[in-house]
Amino acid sequence: MASSIALSPSTVPGQNQLLRSSFHGSALPPSAISLTPNKQVHHVSKTCLKITAKFDLKPPPYPLDALEPHMSRSTLEYHWGKHHRAYVDNLNRQIEGTELDELSLEDIILKTYNKGDLLPQFNNAAQIWNHDFLWESIKPGGGGKPTGELLELIERDFDSFEKFLEEFKSAAATQFGSGWAWLAYKDNTIGHPRPSEKDRKLVILKSPNAVNPLVWDYAPLLTIDVWEHAYYLDFQNRRPDYISTFISNLISWEAADLRLQKAKVEAAEKAKEKVKKKTEDSDTDSSSSESDSDSE
Amino acid sequence: MALRILSRKTATPSISGSLGSGHFRGLQTFSLPDLPYDYGALEPFINAEIMLLHHQKHHQAYITNYNKALEQLHYAINKGHASTVSKLQSAIKFNGGGHINHSIFWNNLAPIHEGGGEPPKGSLGWAIDSQFGSLEALIQRVNAEGAALQGSGWVWLALDKELKKLSVETTANQDPLVTKGSALVPLLGIDVWEHAYYLQYKNVRPDYLKNIWKVINWKYGGEIFAKEAGVVESR
């Protein structure tokens, strides 16, 4: 059936393509990082080779009762089965037949963020991405402490793991209304004359409603959903209890670590591209008369 | 038992008059107003568990945090800590707004045997018919805007007391209606935070919105309208 053909990387230029090639051949579990856009071809017109596609509701990488007793099956049934599904259905309806139909989810998010003046499709697109990311941020038997480089960076940027937990909890607890709290990797080297690894930092962020760190060009490593629908069936008004349970028993530090590696590769690629572009630009400047004739 | 500050008899249109208040070290603080009906009185449209949590936990938390922020503000002002004063603004808007909005909301509801769901009479009824075509048209408009609101917030029937005009407005999170315009007076506010309906309606906000009209207390909005619009009731 045509609808089961996944888009090949070459039809989705940009981030995904970069990531796939960077990790080609490595032993990453497929569920740990979203490398594949959850878009499926549903129509390929032969006459103009135009590809339009529908987004799919991606299931969590574990059964719906696997997070009990920390997150109930009932919460997952509504949160994934109803809320997440509605975002997918609504976005598919909104983009059908529009220019957005041909874009990857990330590109739709960036485009419809529209520099903060949100277009109508933004909420659905970003919420699909956020929930895909959420399900992979947690796992049965999660919690505990990160190790290796991630732990080192946390200790470097927040003084200690305990301090990090305190700040992360506070961000999640104090997001007024619906929204998300994030641990993200911030590539701060942009614009630096001599960028170094030190300029890349871990940061804690909170965002309202559907907004996510992609729109600020940060690489998210972990998230917690603090919309009331994420915890109300299990914890009612007790958001702080939900946050503590989530952190102590559900967070997948393994996923965060893989995302960190991915973010570092991306940041390095970006830096390389920048240097390359700069060199090309200065070449063009110094030989502008020649390139004028070349272009003829 | 706390004083029945919000009983229907004493409920007044002005916001300051309808909020429970007290004093704390010379600073005016606020306390949770009683509901003018039992927690189960709005069933089956809004169940008792929702009403209890909504009133005793959510509304109480806004009041507690509002008082805390006011106390910190008081201290910061006395000490001349300008940056603390600005930092407190968001907590004051959010928690103060939460208190104002919920205090109005409780008055906007009534059990059926006490007039809940009875269409507005008098000048407000006329104004709704002439501006929206019919009460049904207004309800559809409010339901559509409430369902479309992203995240948490409120949908309002507002009176612009200068232009003497009704309008449907939405506010995000706990922003009170006045943040949308200083002349706007709330006649009716419907809470579309998930905590207002989730235990009963889950993800189906439109059903909550459809059902809440069966327990809307139009008398409250009607009295405010008559007063603020300066209308003399014909009888």
Side-chain angles (χ1 to χ4, degrees), chain B residues 148-162:
Chain B
L149 191 145
Q150 281 299 321
S152 305
W154 292 77
V155 55
W156 305 93
L157 173 62
L159 166 68
D160 186 313
K161 61 182 174 185
E162 280 160 19

Side-chain angles (χ1 to χ4, degrees), chain A residues 74-75 78 83 228-229 231-238, chain B residues 44-54 57-58 193-204 208:
Chain A
S74 174
T75 289
Y78 282 102
H83 293 276
E228 288 178 317
H229 65 232
Y231 59 88
Y232 214 81
L233 295 180
D234 293 338
F235 295 92
Q236 291 85 51
N237 59 301
R238 293 172 285 117
Chain B
F45 309 109
I46 305 178
N47 73 28
E49 190 186 7
I50 288 176
M51 290 304 292
L52 186 141
L53 287 165
H54 202 170
K57 303 293 181 184
H58 291 278
W193 279 61
E194 288 172 323
H195 67 229
Y197 60 85
Y198 208 79
L199 293 180
Q200 190 175 351
Y201 295 93
K202 311 293 193 306
N203 58 305
V204 195
Y208 157 72

